[in-house]
Amino acid sequence: MSNDEDLISSLYPPPPPFVKFFTPENLTKLQAWKDQQEQEKQPEPQESLASQGEENDSALPPGELQFLIPPSKPSGSQYRGYGNIWSFEDAFPSLKDTQWPQLYDSLNLDSRGKIAELHKIMDSLLLNFLELVGVLSVDPLQFENKVKDMSALLINFNHLLNTYRPHQSRESLIMMLKNKINDKNLEIQEIDRVCEDVKRKIRALVQDAQELVSIDPGVEEEDEQDDNVEINKNDIKENT
């Protein structure tokens, strides 16, 4: 493997050397260059969008400003990143794509069919395990074929289980939404309870005040008389 391949497939590579070109001055120059390009290029109405996109991709700013333009999308259906090969399309790979034999018929395979196939694979796996124990008791060196068969069964079993991932994600999302709704309902109930408690206390205070007034109606008159007496005393002091 060459040095370039080692650098591409290395885990967490160092920052590329052109990061030093990402300065505020260069960003300002790049924006000015883009504005100039938009003013100079007046696309004709009959030009197609594809031709305009090709022209935009081919036009690069001069000097070190070209490092500030993001690269175009890699060609093909896959790309390499951090030592792994990734696909642009998020699709569920088939067993044939992973070079494993498919031991079940995937045509018209509904939920009941998947459950039946899982039971069949589980039975086959248990049977192969017993056969492996018998082979090891007779000739331990002949274990390789049975181990390969068990590996194929496990891969098929795991592949069938992974087909339930969309259903699991949907049900998990439904469960999360239900929990959120229950939490919000509990908060609303707590707020209503506190509001009712405050209203009850306010009604109790108002009722107590009304009972005090109804029991001793002369309290206000006595207070007024006391105020008048104090006013008269103050007047007498001022006159003397």
Side-chain angles (χ1 to χ4, degrees):
M1 185 177 291
S2 62
N3 294 330
D4 294 336
E5 293 179 353
D6 292 338
L7 180 62
I8 293 175
S9 62
S10 63
L11 185 63
Y12 305 118
F18 52 80
V19 294
K20 59 184 179 181
F21 300 131
F22 285 83
T23 60
E25 293 80 7
N26 286 340
L27 292 175
T28 304
K29 293 179 182 179
L30 179 63
Q31 186 61 39
W33 178 83
K34 289 181 178 180
D35 296 338
Q36 183 180 359
Q37 292 293 318
E38 291 180 358
Q39 293 177 1
E40 291 179 356
K41 290 186 178 181
Q42 298 292 337
E44 297 295 333
Q46 63 272 15
E47 289 184 356
S48 62
L49 295 176
S51 62
Q52 295 177 10
E54 292 176 358
E55 291 179 358
N56 293 332
D57 293 339
S58 61
L60 291 175
E64 60 188 21
L65 297 180
Q66 61 182 348
F67 293 105
L68 277 67
I69 302 296
S72 58
K73 180 181 176 180
S75 60
S77 60
Q78 296 177 343
Y79 66 97
R80 178 185 290 272
Y82 298 110
N84 295 324
I85 297 177
W86 306 91
S87 177
F88 289 111
E89 296 182 359
D90 190 10
F92 185 63
S94 62
L95 289 173
K96 294 181 181 179
D97 297 335
T98 57
Q99 306 299 323
W100 283 97
Q102 184 171 331
L103 304 179
Y104 59 89
D105 188 10
S106 60
L107 296 177
N108 299 325
L109 191 63
D110 55 358
S111 179
R112 293 183 178 180
K114 290 179 182 179
I115 295 174
E117 292 294 337
L118 288 172
H119 282 291
K120 291 179 182 179
I121 294 175
M122 181 62 69
D123 295 340
S124 300
L125 187 61
L126 292 174
L127 179 60
N128 278 267
F129 178 75
L130 293 176
E131 292 178 354
L132 176 62
V133 173
V135 170
L136 292 176
S137 62
V138 176
D139 188 3
L141 297 178
Q142 303 298 325
F143 71 93
E144 185 175 0
N145 292 331
K146 282 299 171 185
V147 170
K148 288 182 179 179
D149 294 341
M150 293 178 66
S151 298
L153 289 169
L154 288 172
I155 292 296
N156 280 264
F157 192 88
N158 184 57
H159 190 268
L160 270 177
L161 288 179
N162 286 333
T163 57
Y164 285 99
R165 291 298 182 184
H167 175 73
Q168 180 187 9
S169 301
R170 183 171 59 253
E171 293 298 324
S172 299
L173 181 59
I174 292 173
M175 183 178 65
M176 291 174 60
L177 291 176
K178 288 183 178 179
N179 291 335
K180 286 290 184 182
I181 293 172
N182 292 332
D183 294 339
K184 295 299 180 182
N185 289 333
L186 291 176
E187 291 179 2
I188 293 172
Q189 292 176 3
E190 182 66 18
I191 292 172
D192 292 339
R193 187 189 65 79
V194 173
C195 291
E196 290 295 330
D197 191 15
V198 172
K199 290 179 181 179
R200 181 178 57 79
K201 291 181 179 180
I202 292 174
R203 285 194 295 266
L205 292 174
V206 172
Q207 186 176 1
D208 293 340
Q210 292 176 352
E211 290 178 355
L212 289 175
V213 173
S214 61
I215 292 173
D216 193 2
V219 174
E220 294 182 356
E221 296 179 357
E222 292 179 357
D223 293 337
E224 292 179 355
Q225 292 177 0
D226 293 337
D227 294 337
N228 293 330
V229 170
E230 291 180 358
I231 293 172
N232 294 329
K233 289 180 180 180
N234 293 329
D235 294 337
I236 292 170
K237 289 180 181 179
E238 290 177 356
N239 293 326
T240 57

